[in-house]
Coordinates of all heavy atoms in Angstrom, one line a residue:
F83 N 100.4 123.2 99.6 CA 99.9 122.0 100.2 C 98.6 122.2 101.0 O 97.9 121.3 101.4 CB 100.9 121.3 101.1 CG 102.1 120.8 100.3 CD1 103.4 121.3 100.6 CD2 102.0 119.9 99.3 CE1 104.5 120.9 99.8 CE2 103.1 119.5 98.5 CZ 104.3 120.0 98.8
M86 N 95.4 120.4 99.7 CA 95.4 119.0 100.0 C 94.8 118.8 101.4 O 94.1 117.9 101.7 CB 96.8 118.4 99.9 CG 96.9 116.9 100.2 SD 96.0 115.9 99.0 CE 97.0 116.0 97.6
V97 N 88.2 110.8 92.7 CA 89.1 109.8 92.0 C 88.4 108.4 92.0 O 88.5 107.7 91.0 CB 90.5 109.8 92.6 CG1 91.3 108.6 92.2 CG2 91.2 111.1 92.3
L106 N 93.8 112.4 84.8 CA 95.2 112.9 84.8 C 95.4 113.8 83.6 O 96.3 114.7 83.7 CB 96.1 111.6 84.7 CG 96.2 110.8 86.0 CD1 96.9 109.5 85.8 CD2 96.8 111.6 87.1
T109 N 94.3 117.2 85.0 CA 95.1 117.8 86.1 C 96.6 118.1 85.6 O 97.1 119.2 86.0 CB 95.2 116.8 87.2 OG1 95.8 115.6 86.8 CG2 93.8 116.6 87.8
A144 N 95.2 121.6 91.8 CA 95.3 120.5 90.9 C 95.8 119.2 91.5 O 95.3 118.1 91.2 CB 96.2 120.9 89.7
T145 N 96.7 119.3 92.5 CA 97.3 118.2 93.1 C 96.3 117.4 94.0 O 96.4 116.2 94.2 CB 98.4 118.6 94.0 OG1 99.4 119.3 93.2 CG2 99.1 117.5 94.7
V146 N 95.2 118.1 94.4 CA 94.2 117.4 95.2 C 93.6 116.2 94.5 O 93.3 115.2 95.1 CB 93.0 118.5 95.6 CG1 91.8 117.8 96.1 CG2 93.5 119.5 96.6
V147 N 93.4 116.3 93.2 CA 92.9 115.2 92.4 C 94.1 114.5 91.7 O 94.0 113.2 91.6 CB 91.9 115.7 91.3 CG1 91.5 114.6 90.4 CG2 90.7 116.4 92.0
D148 N 95.1 115.2 91.3 CA 96.2 114.5 90.6 C 96.9 113.5 91.4 O 97.2 112.4 90.9 CB 97.2 115.6 90.1 CG 98.3 115.0 89.2 OD1 98.0 114.8 88.0 OD2 99.4 114.8 89.7
N149 N 97.2 113.8 92.6 CA 98.0 112.9 93.5 C 97.3 111.5 93.7 O 97.9 110.5 93.4 CB 98.4 113.5 94.8 CG 99.8 114.0 94.8 OD1 100.7 113.6 94.0 ND2 100.2 114.9 95.7
P150 N 96.1 111.5 94.2 CA 95.5 110.2 94.4 C 95.2 109.5 93.1 O 95.2 108.3 93.0 CB 94.2 110.5 95.2 CG 93.9 112.0 94.9 CD 95.3 112.6 94.8
A151 N 94.9 110.3 92.0 CA 94.7 109.6 90.7 C 96.0 108.9 90.2 O 95.9 107.8 89.8 CB 94.2 110.7 89.7
R152 N 97.1 109.6 90.3 CA 98.4 109.0 89.9 C 98.7 107.8 90.8 O 99.2 106.8 90.3 CB 99.5 110.0 89.9 CG 99.6 110.8 88.7 CD 100.8 111.7 88.6 NE 101.0 112.6 89.7 CZ 101.8 112.5 90.7 NH1 102.6 111.5 90.7 NH2 101.8 113.4 91.7
Q153 N 98.5 107.9 92.1 CA 98.9 106.8 93.0 C 98.1 105.6 92.7 O 98.6 104.5 92.6 CB 98.7 107.3 94.4 CG 99.6 108.4 94.9 CD 101.0 108.0 95.1 OE1 101.3 106.9 95.3 NE2 101.9 109.0 95.1
S154 N 96.8 105.8 92.6 CA 95.9 104.6 92.3 C 95.9 104.1 90.9 O 95.6 102.9 90.6 CB 94.5 105.0 92.8 OG 94.0 106.1 92.1
M371 N 94.2 106.6 99.5 CA 95.4 107.3 99.1 C 95.3 108.8 99.2 O 96.2 109.5 99.5 CB 95.7 107.0 97.6 CG 96.1 105.5 97.4 SD 97.4 104.9 98.6 CE 98.8 105.9 98.1
M375 N 97.8 111.0 101.3 CA 98.5 112.2 100.7 C 98.1 113.5 101.4 O 98.9 114.4 101.6 CB 98.2 112.3 99.2 CG 98.7 111.1 98.4 SD 100.4 110.7 98.5 CE 101.2 112.2 97.9
L379 N 101.3 115.2 102.7 CA 101.6 116.5 102.1 C 100.8 117.7 102.7 O 101.3 118.8 102.8 CB 101.3 116.4 100.6 CG 102.0 115.4 99.8 CD1 101.6 115.4 98.3 CD2 103.5 115.6 99.9

Side-chain angles (χ1 to χ4, degrees):
F83 296 118
M86 181 65 72
V97 167
L106 288 171
T109 57
T145 302
V146 166
V147 176
D148 185 80
N149 258 340
R152 275 190 300 108
Q153 297 286 339
S154 55
M371 294 309 296
M375 298 305 296
L379 299 180

